[in-house]
Amino acid sequence: MRITPLRGTGVAWLKCPACRLKCRPTAVAPDGNCPRCGKARMLKLSFGGRVTVAAPDASRD
């Protein structure tokens, strides 16, 4: 059984621009539409998690 995290940076959320419903990707209809209003486009929310950038390679000059 897979345990889905509810909080943190690794959590994916979707938002409907029409009805403002926020839901998890598993709650979206099979065709990708909003479960409440049926709008076709769900927006992926980003909560500003940490982004790690690789240090530049000093040996490549």
Side-chain angles (χ1 to χ4, degrees), residues 15-51:
K15 181 178 179 181
C16 178
C19 68
R20 297 183 179 178
L21 174 72
K22 293 178 195 139
C23 64
R24 300 294 303 255
T26 55
V28 175
D31 54 357
N33 293 346
C34 175
R36 182 187 289 167
C37 70
K39 180 143 174 102
R41 185 172 173 191
M42 297 287 286
L43 302 174
K44 186 173 182 177
L45 296 177
S46 174
F47 293 107
R50 271 192 173 171
V51 177

